[in-house]
Amino acid sequence: MRYEDNIDAAVLALETARQLLSDEIRDYPTPVSGCDAEYNHLLSRRTQITKALSMLQTDVFVPTPRTLVEGSGVESR
């Protein structure tokens, strides 16, 4: 198994969780007061899942040090 397969599985699981949370939020009894702790918790979890998905799907620049010739120092590209 490749590591990408695990990342793909994590993305799928998070997308499923986000959809389930969205359904639960949509079906939440109204009216919702601003201090409803359970509703606010659902919104918070949805935000966490959205951020996790974003992190898994975003390329991250990692500077790679390179030495062109010995003793020349380090160059970061």
Side-chain angles (χ1 to χ4, degrees):
M1 178 177 270
R2 303 171 317 131
Y3 78 90
E4 291 97 344
D5 296 335
N6 288 307
I7 293 174
D8 292 342
V11 168
L12 181 60
L14 286 167
E15 287 172 345
T16 301
R18 183 174 57 181
Q19 183 59 52
L20 290 169
L21 264 173
S22 293
D23 292 346
E24 191 168 340
I25 290 168
R26 183 192 67 233
D27 295 338
Y28 201 83
T30 57
V32 177
S33 69
C35 62
D36 188 324
E38 183 179 346
Y39 186 77
N40 290 336
H41 178 72
L42 292 175
L43 295 176
S44 172
R45 296 299 281 177
R46 185 178 63 182
T47 300
Q48 288 175 324
I49 290 170
T50 300
K51 286 181 179 183
L53 278 166
S54 176
M55 292 303 296
L56 286 173
Q57 296 170 329
T58 301
D59 288 333
V60 178
F61 173 73
V62 178
T64 306
R66 302 179 194 279
T67 302
L68 300 176
V69 292
E70 192 168 324
S72 68
V74 176
E75 175 188 349
S76 179
R77 294 184 182 179

